[in-house]
Amino acid sequence: MTETATETWSVAGRTFTSRLIVGTGKYADYAQNAAAAEAAGAEMVTVAMRRVNLSDPTQPMLVDFVKPDQYTYLPNTAGCFTGEDAVRTLRLAREAGDWNLVKLEVLSDPNLLYPDMEETLRSLKLLVADGFDVMVYCTDDPVYCRKLEDAGAAAIMPLAAPIGSGLGLLNPVNIKLIVDQTKVPVVVDAGLGTASDATLAMELGCDAVLMNTAIAGAKDPIRMARAMKHAVLAGRDSYLAGRMPKRVYGDPSSPTTGLI
Protein backbone atom coordinates (compact mmCIF):
# COMPACT_ATOMS: atom_id res chain seq x y z
CA MET A 1 0.00 0.00 0.00
CA THR A 2 1.40 3.36 -1.01
CA GLU A 3 1.19 6.02 1.69
CA THR A 4 0.24 9.44 0.34
CA ALA A 5 2.54 11.11 2.85
CA THR A 6 5.60 9.65 1.11
CA GLU A 7 4.54 10.76 -2.35
CA THR A 8 6.16 13.68 -4.09
CA TRP A 9 5.55 15.73 -7.19
CA SER A 10 7.99 17.87 -9.13
CA VAL A 11 7.91 21.02 -11.20
CA ALA A 12 10.92 22.41 -13.04
CA GLY A 13 13.28 20.17 -11.07
CA ARG A 14 11.90 21.15 -7.66
CA THR A 15 10.28 18.43 -5.59
CA PHE A 16 7.42 18.86 -3.11
CA THR A 17 5.49 16.62 -0.75
CA SER A 18 2.51 18.92 -0.21
CA ARG A 19 0.08 19.17 -3.12
CA LEU A 20 -1.63 22.25 -1.69
CA ILE A 21 -0.30 25.65 -2.75
CA VAL A 22 -1.67 28.68 -0.90
CA GLY A 23 -1.78 32.38 -1.63
CA THR A 24 -0.61 35.39 0.34
CA GLY A 25 -3.49 37.82 -0.09
CA LYS A 26 -6.82 38.74 1.49
CA TYR A 27 -5.85 37.60 4.98
CA ALA A 28 -6.49 39.84 7.99
CA ASP A 29 -2.74 40.22 8.37
CA TYR A 30 0.53 38.42 7.60
CA ALA A 31 0.41 36.56 10.92
CA GLN A 32 -2.89 34.93 9.97
CA ASN A 33 -1.47 34.18 6.54
CA ALA A 34 1.49 32.41 8.10
CA ALA A 35 -0.74 30.41 10.44
CA ALA A 36 -2.94 29.32 7.52
CA ALA A 37 0.06 28.26 5.43
CA GLU A 38 1.32 26.17 8.33
CA ALA A 39 -2.10 24.59 8.96
CA ALA A 40 -2.36 23.76 5.25
CA GLY A 41 0.99 21.99 5.33
CA ALA A 42 1.96 24.06 2.30
CA GLU A 43 5.50 24.15 0.95
CA MET A 44 4.87 26.69 -1.81
CA VAL A 45 3.13 30.08 -1.58
CA THR A 46 2.17 32.45 -4.36
CA VAL A 47 3.23 36.07 -4.00
CA ALA A 48 1.51 38.83 -5.95
CA MET A 49 4.48 41.07 -6.67
CA ARG A 50 2.31 44.16 -7.17
CA ARG A 51 0.26 43.74 -4.00
CA VAL A 52 2.52 42.36 -1.26
CA ASN A 53 5.07 44.34 0.71
CA LEU A 54 8.47 42.75 0.23
CA SER A 55 10.71 45.79 0.49
CA ASP A 56 9.37 48.53 2.82
CA PRO A 57 10.72 47.82 6.33
CA THR A 58 8.58 50.59 7.83
CA GLN A 59 5.49 48.44 7.15
CA PRO A 60 4.74 44.78 8.00
CA MET A 61 6.62 42.59 5.52
CA LEU A 62 5.52 39.19 4.26
CA VAL A 63 9.02 37.73 4.58
CA ASP A 64 8.97 38.28 8.35
CA PHE A 65 5.99 35.96 8.74
CA VAL A 66 5.96 33.59 5.76
CA LYS A 67 9.69 33.03 5.66
CA PRO A 68 11.43 32.37 2.33
CA ASP A 69 13.70 29.77 3.95
CA GLN A 70 10.64 27.73 4.94
CA TYR A 71 8.51 28.11 1.81
CA THR A 72 9.16 28.21 -1.92
CA TYR A 73 8.01 31.61 -3.10
CA LEU A 74 6.13 31.61 -6.39
CA PRO A 75 6.03 35.20 -7.65
CA ASN A 76 2.97 35.86 -9.77
CA THR A 77 1.77 38.61 -12.05
CA ALA A 78 -1.67 39.21 -10.51
CA GLY A 79 -3.00 42.54 -11.71
CA CYS A 80 -1.24 42.42 -15.07
CA PHE A 81 -3.37 42.92 -18.17
CA THR A 82 -0.67 42.93 -20.88
CA GLY A 83 2.19 40.64 -21.69
CA GLU A 84 4.65 43.50 -21.32
CA ASP A 85 3.49 44.20 -17.75
CA ALA A 86 3.74 40.54 -16.85
CA VAL A 87 7.23 40.08 -18.25
CA ARG A 88 8.48 43.30 -16.63
CA THR A 89 7.01 42.29 -13.26
CA LEU A 90 8.70 38.89 -13.27
CA ARG A 91 12.02 40.29 -14.39
CA LEU A 92 11.87 42.69 -11.45
CA ALA A 93 10.98 39.77 -9.16
CA ARG A 94 14.05 37.87 -10.32
CA GLU A 95 16.23 40.89 -9.65
CA ALA A 96 14.68 41.41 -6.20
CA GLY A 97 14.67 37.86 -4.88
CA ASP A 98 16.53 35.71 -7.39
CA TRP A 99 13.24 33.91 -8.11
CA ASN A 100 13.23 31.90 -11.31
CA LEU A 101 10.17 29.69 -10.76
CA VAL A 102 7.22 31.99 -11.42
CA LYS A 103 3.50 32.03 -12.09
CA LEU A 104 2.30 33.83 -15.20
CA GLU A 105 -1.12 35.43 -15.03
CA VAL A 106 -2.31 37.85 -17.74
CA LEU A 107 -5.91 38.89 -17.22
CA SER A 108 -8.46 40.26 -19.67
CA ASP A 109 -11.68 41.79 -18.35
CA PRO A 110 -11.16 43.21 -14.82
CA ASN A 111 -14.60 41.99 -13.75
CA LEU A 112 -14.40 38.44 -15.07
CA LEU A 113 -10.66 38.05 -14.29
CA TYR A 114 -10.39 35.44 -17.02
CA PRO A 115 -6.94 35.02 -18.53
CA ASP A 116 -6.21 36.61 -21.89
CA MET A 117 -4.85 33.51 -23.58
CA GLU A 118 -3.33 35.26 -26.59
CA GLU A 119 -1.32 37.56 -24.32
CA THR A 120 -0.53 34.69 -21.97
CA LEU A 121 0.97 32.55 -24.73
CA ARG A 122 2.93 35.48 -26.14
CA SER A 123 4.44 36.43 -22.78
CA LEU A 124 5.14 32.78 -21.90
CA LYS A 125 7.37 32.49 -24.95
CA LEU A 126 9.27 35.64 -23.92
CA LEU A 127 9.77 34.37 -20.37
CA VAL A 128 10.89 30.90 -21.44
CA ALA A 129 13.40 32.49 -23.83
CA ASP A 130 14.63 34.56 -20.87
CA GLY A 131 15.32 31.46 -18.79
CA PHE A 132 12.28 31.45 -16.47
CA ASP A 133 10.49 28.31 -15.29
CA VAL A 134 6.88 29.33 -15.84
CA MET A 135 3.73 27.89 -14.27
CA VAL A 136 0.86 29.29 -16.35
CA TYR A 137 -2.63 30.31 -15.20
CA CYS A 138 -5.02 29.61 -18.05
CA THR A 139 -8.54 28.75 -19.15
CA ASP A 140 -9.72 25.15 -19.09
CA ASP A 141 -9.31 24.90 -22.87
CA PRO A 142 -7.44 21.67 -23.73
CA VAL A 143 -6.30 23.11 -27.08
CA TYR A 144 -4.70 26.20 -25.56
CA CYS A 145 -3.26 24.13 -22.71
CA ARG A 146 -1.43 22.00 -25.27
CA LYS A 147 -0.09 25.15 -26.94
CA LEU A 148 1.21 26.37 -23.57
CA GLU A 149 2.93 23.06 -22.90
CA ASP A 150 4.46 23.04 -26.38
CA ALA A 151 5.75 26.58 -25.75
CA GLY A 152 7.66 25.39 -22.68
CA ALA A 153 5.35 25.87 -19.69
CA ALA A 154 6.67 24.17 -16.55
CA ALA A 155 3.11 23.57 -15.31
CA ILE A 156 -0.40 24.10 -16.62
CA MET A 157 -2.80 25.83 -14.20
CA PRO A 158 -6.37 25.79 -15.53
CA LEU A 159 -9.02 27.67 -13.59
CA ALA A 160 -11.85 25.80 -11.89
CA ALA A 161 -14.02 28.95 -11.96
CA PRO A 162 -13.40 32.72 -11.98
CA ILE A 163 -10.84 33.98 -9.46
CA GLY A 164 -12.35 34.48 -6.03
CA SER A 165 -15.77 33.16 -7.05
CA GLY A 166 -15.81 30.01 -4.89
CA LEU A 167 -18.04 28.33 -7.46
CA GLY A 168 -16.02 25.14 -7.46
CA LEU A 169 -15.01 22.96 -10.38
CA LEU A 170 -17.37 24.04 -13.16
CA ASN A 171 -16.00 21.87 -15.97
CA PRO A 172 -14.54 18.61 -14.65
CA VAL A 173 -14.66 17.05 -18.12
CA ASN A 174 -12.23 19.59 -19.54
CA ILE A 175 -9.95 19.35 -16.51
CA LYS A 176 -9.77 15.57 -16.99
CA LEU A 177 -9.00 16.03 -20.69
CA ILE A 178 -6.18 18.42 -19.78
CA VAL A 179 -4.79 16.00 -17.18
CA ASP A 180 -4.85 13.11 -19.65
CA GLN A 181 -2.99 14.97 -22.39
CA THR A 182 -0.44 16.91 -20.33
CA LYS A 183 3.05 15.68 -19.46
CA VAL A 184 3.98 18.54 -17.11
CA PRO A 185 2.15 19.03 -13.77
CA VAL A 186 -1.48 20.18 -13.86
CA VAL A 187 -2.48 22.44 -10.96
CA VAL A 188 -6.09 23.59 -10.63
CA ASP A 189 -5.96 27.31 -9.89
CA ALA A 190 -8.77 29.70 -8.96
CA GLY A 191 -12.44 29.30 -8.14
CA LEU A 192 -12.40 26.52 -5.57
CA GLY A 193 -14.56 27.23 -2.54
CA THR A 194 -14.60 24.32 -0.14
CA ALA A 195 -12.87 21.08 0.75
CA SER A 196 -15.00 18.90 -1.53
CA ASP A 197 -13.91 21.03 -4.50
CA ALA A 198 -10.27 20.33 -3.73
CA THR A 199 -10.98 16.62 -3.36
CA LEU A 200 -12.74 16.48 -6.73
CA ALA A 201 -9.82 18.22 -8.46
CA MET A 202 -7.40 15.70 -7.00
CA GLU A 203 -9.66 12.76 -7.88
CA LEU A 204 -9.44 13.87 -11.52
CA GLY A 205 -5.68 13.30 -11.37
CA CYS A 206 -4.42 16.85 -10.92
CA ASP A 207 -0.95 17.08 -9.39
CA ALA A 208 -1.88 19.88 -6.99
CA VAL A 209 -4.35 22.67 -6.28
CA LEU A 210 -3.75 26.34 -5.60
CA MET A 211 -6.13 28.45 -3.56
CA ASN A 212 -6.24 31.78 -1.81
CA THR A 213 -9.76 33.15 -1.28
CA ALA A 214 -11.19 29.74 -0.36
CA ILE A 215 -9.00 29.82 2.74
CA ALA A 216 -8.54 33.55 3.39
CA GLY A 217 -12.23 34.26 2.84
CA ALA A 218 -13.49 31.56 5.19
CA LYS A 219 -14.96 32.52 8.56
CA ASP A 220 -12.14 30.52 10.18
CA PRO A 221 -9.20 30.55 7.74
CA ILE A 222 -6.97 28.34 9.88
CA ARG A 223 -9.59 25.62 10.22
CA MET A 224 -10.34 25.85 6.50
CA ALA A 225 -6.64 25.55 5.68
CA ARG A 226 -6.51 22.37 7.74
CA ALA A 227 -9.65 21.06 5.99
CA MET A 228 -8.11 21.74 2.59
CA LYS A 229 -4.97 19.84 3.58
CA HIS A 230 -6.99 16.73 4.42
CA ALA A 231 -9.20 17.17 1.34
CA VAL A 232 -6.20 17.18 -0.99
CA LEU A 233 -4.76 14.10 0.71
CA ALA A 234 -8.10 12.28 0.48
CA GLY A 235 -8.58 13.20 -3.17
CA ARG A 236 -5.10 12.01 -4.08
CA ASP A 237 -5.60 8.72 -2.23
CA SER A 238 -8.95 8.24 -3.95
CA TYR A 239 -7.37 8.85 -7.36
CA LEU A 240 -4.55 6.39 -6.70
CA ALA A 241 -6.97 3.79 -5.34
CA GLY A 242 -9.00 3.81 -8.55
CA ARG A 243 -12.71 4.31 -8.14
CA MET A 244 -15.28 1.59 -8.75
CA PRO A 245 -16.97 1.67 -12.17
CA LYS A 246 -20.26 3.49 -12.48
CA ARG A 247 -23.29 1.36 -13.32
CA VAL A 248 -26.79 2.17 -14.51
CA TYR A 249 -28.34 -0.66 -12.49
CA GLY A 250 -27.80 -1.80 -8.92
CA ASP A 251 -25.28 -4.48 -8.01
CA PRO A 252 -25.69 -6.42 -4.74
CA SER A 253 -23.12 -5.57 -2.09
CA SER A 254 -23.28 -9.07 -0.56
CA PRO A 255 -22.83 -12.48 -2.25
CA THR A 256 -25.80 -13.90 -4.14
CA THR A 257 -24.73 -17.54 -3.62
CA GLY A 258 -24.85 -19.64 -0.49
CA LEU A 259 -27.97 -17.93 0.80
CA ILE A 260 -29.68 -19.30 3.92
Side-chain angles (χ1 to χ4, degrees):
M1 183 177 69
T2 302
E3 292 292 339
T4 304
T6 63
E7 265 207 314
T8 61
W9 68 288
S10 299
V11 55
R14 300 158 179 84
T15 300
F16 303 93
T17 299
S18 172
R19 294 175 182 270
L20 176 56
I21 305 168
V22 299
T24 53
K26 296 188 176 180
Y27 289 91
D29 50 41
Y30 290 145
Q32 186 187 66
N33 197 161
E38 182 178 2
E43 297 170 316
M44 184 190 298
V45 296
T46 60
V47 181
M49 300 306 297
R50 290 186 160 195
R51 297 170 178 164
V52 170
N53 179 30
L54 296 169
S55 58
D56 183 0
T58 66
Q59 301 293 326
M61 296 178 62
L62 178 67
V63 293
D64 292 332
F65 295 87
V66 182
K67 299 183 181 299
D69 60 347
Q70 296 177 2
Y71 297 92
T72 295
Y73 271 34
L74 182 67
N76 73 55
T77 56
C80 291
F81 289 85
T82 68
E84 284 76 14
D85 279 350
V87 171
R88 185 184 310 111
T89 297
L90 292 178
R91 284 174 175 164
L92 289 172
R94 184 164 61 183
E95 290 295 321
D98 197 29
W99 293 303
N100 200 63
L101 179 65
V102 296
K103 175 188 167 185
L104 175 62
E105 178 178 314
V106 186
L107 302 177
S108 53
D109 186 289
N111 294 315
L112 297 176
L113 298 182
Y114 261 65
D116 182 327
M117 293 310 302
E118 183 177 0
E119 285 291 282
T120 297
L121 181 58
R122 186 171 68 86
S123 50
L124 168 64
K125 292 176 180 179
L126 293 173
L127 290 166
V128 169
D130 205 12
F132 284 94
D133 297 319
V134 190
M135 301 172 69
V136 187
Y137 170 65
C138 56
T139 59
D140 58 357
D141 178 353
V143 176
Y144 243 116
C145 285
R146 180 174 286 141
K147 290 182 179 181
L148 295 172
E149 184 178 7
D150 291 344
I156 304 298
M157 307 179 78
L159 54 80
I163 292 173
S165 68
L167 291 173
L169 204 59
L170 296 182
N171 199 341
V173 173
N174 273 22
I175 298 297
K176 186 66 170 68
L177 290 173
I178 293 165
V179 168
D180 288 346
Q181 75 177 20
T182 306
K183 295 180 175 61
V184 297
V186 176
V187 182
V188 164
D189 179 10
L192 300 181
T194 192
S196 57
D197 298 334
T199 298
L200 177 56
M202 297 305 297
E203 286 179 333
L204 292 173
C206 294
D207 295 276
V209 296
L210 189 158
M211 60 185 69
N212 185 60
T213 310
I215 296 176
K219 292 181 180 179
D220 185 340
I222 311 307
R223 183 180 289 263
M224 184 60 81
R226 189 165 61 246
M228 292 298 186
K229 173 184 176 180
H230 293 301
V232 168
L233 289 171
R236 180 64 180 173
D237 255 352
S238 178
Y239 170 72
L240 293 175
R243 65 155 293 144
M244 62 167 284
K246 294 182 179 180
R247 299 183 177 92
V248 175
Y249 298 101
D251 186 43
S253 297
S254 55
T256 56
T257 59
L259 300 178
I260 297 175

